[in-house]
Amino acid sequence: MTEKIYIIQPILSDNYKRLNDEAIALIESAGAVYIGSCFQNIKEINAATFIGSGKLAEIAHTLEGVEELTILFNGDLSPSQTLNISAALGDRKVIDRTTLILDIFARNAVTVEGKIQVEIAQLKYIYPRLKGKGAALSRLGGGIGSRGPGETQLETDRRHIAYRLKYLENRLKETKKRRLLQSGRRRKENVKTVALVGYTNTGKSTLLNLLTGADVTAQNALFVTLDPTARQCVIDGENYVLIDTVGFIQALPHEIVEAFKSTLEVALNCDLALFVADANDDYDLQFKTTVSTLEELGFNNKVIKVLNKCDLIEDASTLPSDCILISAKDGTGITALKEAIKKSFEERFKRLKLFIPFEKINEYERVRQNAVEISRGYNEEGISAEVKIETAFTEKFKDFIIGQL
């Protein structure tokens, strides 16, 4: 039977309507049915129930007669608040925003790495909530919040979870090592990497398919893509690797950002990032959410802002001029985007011809880590090399530069 969900939306800021709309989209992505919302202005958070007993009594009256209903509190609850709200609403099942997102991640995780990351996030969320929950866990039953790689951990003790977390994190470190080696190989082989990052459901996967001719799953749902997907793209004869990444939303739970750090490091190790937002939505908020999430990881790479779904905009002149306007659906603006990608790499990197006399080889070796050698040859006087160097590092090679390719 399809799970029915009713939202309790606390009003803590001006964007509460946006958060409620996102919660509805999350519910649909989880395969459940949204039946309604109630809003409560919060002047001071109630330690026992967050929103106060009076409002809960009102909600209980509203929901009288509705059977098999799950309550989604669209925020974060402590274990005791979850129990108290459930008791006030007739022992209905109560979940919070993080539980719902983790459930969607559990549904969509496909690769071994993705499943490990989901389980780590679930366990880190469950760990501090075990104490005192007791019989409440048995009331969860099936449905949202009770499936996925970590579901059997609900009945284990803290020590068991700690051991499990350590084991999973060690496995994740191994996958991270392989990913870093892969990134290193790409740099060594002069592969240009472009990461697609941004809000979830803005058309990143559709854009990847259009640019590369791939058939990556693209749906009108949140968090369809969890694992990074890499595909080759050719622009004016030059090869690029485009990498699709997990999308963001407002208030993405810290447990998820932490668990998916290794996946998001794809964006940190790329040469260029395309920040993709929906032109029909609050794109300023989407860009800010993307930036703030990546800043947690130390992101500082070059960025091109892309506004997708511009085919649905009647007057594109109102859109910001510092963005590339496209439609991944019908191909509008794709030529301009390709040119912007090409120009970005031309500005960032230079291909140079070097000559290194034998007596200066030690000096060259000290700075060679800042270059990618494309070819090397020898003669009686020294070494001839063709290299790719970031523009910022060309000064280090000034004594060896004999031309530009």
Side-chain angles (χ1 to χ4, degrees):
M1 186 174 67
T2 303
E3 195 166 359
K4 296 179 290 186
I5 299 185
Y6 182 82
I7 299 173
I8 297 177
Q9 176 63 60
I11 302 175
L12 297 166
S13 61
D14 293 338
N15 67 340
Y16 68 94
K17 289 182 179 178
R18 167 86 188 201
L19 287 168
N20 187 72
D21 290 341
E22 282 187 359
I24 295 171
L26 288 168
I27 288 168
E28 292 170 351
S29 294
V33 175
Y34 164 73
I35 67 163
S37 299
C38 70
F39 299 86
Q40 175 63 20
N41 191 38
I42 305 293
K43 294 181 180 178
E44 184 176 342
I45 295 174
N46 186 292
T49 61
F50 203 106
I51 62 173
S53 56
K55 185 63 177 181
L56 285 174
E58 179 185 323
I59 295 170
H61 179 72
T62 301
L63 299 179
E64 278 183 7
V66 183
E67 301 296 332
E68 301 297 328
L69 180 66
T70 296
I71 307 299
L72 168 64
F73 183 88
N74 197 21
D76 288 325
L77 292 174
S78 69
S80 60
Q81 287 170 336
T82 303
L83 286 172
N84 292 335
I85 292 174
S86 176
L89 298 180
D91 286 337
R92 295 183 186 273
K93 176 178 154 187
V94 176
I95 61 175
D96 63 7
R97 181 182 175 87
T98 300
T99 304
L100 177 59
I101 293 173
L102 287 173
D103 183 86
I104 296 169
F105 274 44
R107 289 166 58 95
N108 293 341
V110 175
T111 66
V112 171
E113 183 180 9
K115 290 177 180 179
I116 290 172
Q117 291 176 124
V118 170
E119 185 172 354
I120 287 173
Q122 287 179 321
L123 294 179
K124 284 188 173 180
Y125 186 69
I126 291 168
Y127 186 83
R129 288 167 168 75
L130 283 178
K131 185 178 179 181
K133 290 188 83 171
L137 291 176
S138 64
R139 284 209 303 267
L140 289 177
I144 290 172
S146 61
R147 62 186 154 209
E151 62 183 345
T152 60
Q153 302 304 313
L154 293 173
E155 298 175 354
T156 64
D157 59 19
R158 286 173 173 260
R159 183 178 299 174
H160 189 105
I161 288 181
Y163 283 139
R164 180 70 177 165
L165 275 172
K166 186 174 182 179
Y167 166 74
L168 292 171
E169 286 170 347
N170 285 336
R171 287 190 64 188
L172 200 58
K173 284 178 184 177
E174 291 301 316
T175 64
K176 179 181 177 180
K177 286 179 184 177
R178 288 197 293 271
R179 197 183 297 284
L180 290 175
L181 286 172
Q182 189 178 50
S183 296
R185 276 200 306 273
R186 284 172 176 162
R187 288 184 182 278
K188 188 174 181 179
E189 295 169 3
N190 197 28
V191 176
K192 304 175 181 71
T193 55
V194 181
L196 303 176
V197 295
Y199 230 66
T200 187
N201 204 29
T202 54
K204 298 191 303 299
S205 296
T206 304
L207 177 57
L208 180 78
N209 289 339
L210 178 64
L211 289 170
T212 66
D215 57 355
V216 175
T217 301
Q219 299 176 10
N220 184 26
L222 304 188
F223 300 124
V224 173
T225 301
L226 294 185
D227 304 291
T229 304
R231 296 291 185 271
Q232 183 171 294
C233 170
V234 179
I235 301 175
D236 291 345
E238 291 281 342
N239 290 325
Y240 301 81
V241 171
L242 266 61
I243 306 172
D244 194 8
T245 61
V246 63
F248 307 134
I249 59 170
Q250 283 189 86
L252 192 63
H254 181 71
E255 293 89 352
I256 290 174
V257 175
E258 278 296 309
F260 279 78
K261 187 178 287 186
S262 63
T263 298
L264 295 173
E265 281 176 350
V266 170
L268 306 186
N269 295 323
C270 70
D271 297 315
L272 172 69
L274 304 185
F275 280 7
V276 184
D278 185 344
N280 292 275
D281 208 335
D282 188 345
Y283 46 80
D284 282 333
L285 174 64
Q286 292 182 6
F287 285 137
K288 287 176 183 176
T289 300
T290 300
V291 170
S292 64
T293 304
L294 288 176
E295 279 181 347
E296 288 187 43
L297 306 177
F299 177 86
N300 61 358
N301 286 359
K302 179 140 188 187
V303 169
I304 294 176
K305 288 184 177 181
V306 180
L307 282 179
N308 191 23
K309 305 183 184 181
C310 289
D311 54 307
L312 304 176
I313 298 291
E314 291 185 5
D315 183 10
S317 65
T318 61
L319 298 175
S321 58
D322 64 340
C323 299
I324 305 292
L325 310 183
I326 70 162
S327 168
K329 184 178 180 180
D330 65 18
T332 301
I334 297 302
T335 299
L337 177 58
K338 288 181 177 180
E339 284 298 316
I341 293 171
K342 182 181 174 183
K343 183 179 178 183
S344 175
F345 279 91
E346 289 173 349
E347 291 174 350
R348 179 172 177 179
F349 296 98
K350 288 186 177 180
R351 292 182 60 151
L352 303 172
K353 295 174 72 174
L354 307 181
F355 180 75
I356 305 99
F358 285 127
E359 63 268 21
K360 291 190 175 182
I361 285 179
N362 288 339
E363 182 182 336
Y364 172 67
E365 289 297 329
R366 284 195 292 270
V367 298
R368 190 163 71 91
Q369 64 182 3
N370 298 300
V372 175
E373 282 195 358
I374 300 167
S375 65
R376 175 187 277 213
Y378 298 86
N379 60 32
E380 294 179 355
E381 298 178 351
I383 300 172
S384 297
E386 292 183 359
V387 298
K388 184 185 80 168
I389 304 174
E390 285 197 47
T391 304
F393 295 137
T394 53
E395 183 68 17
K396 295 178 181 287
F397 296 84
K398 64 180 181 180
D399 293 337
F400 310 116
I401 297 172
I402 59 174
Q404 185 166 335
L405 298 171

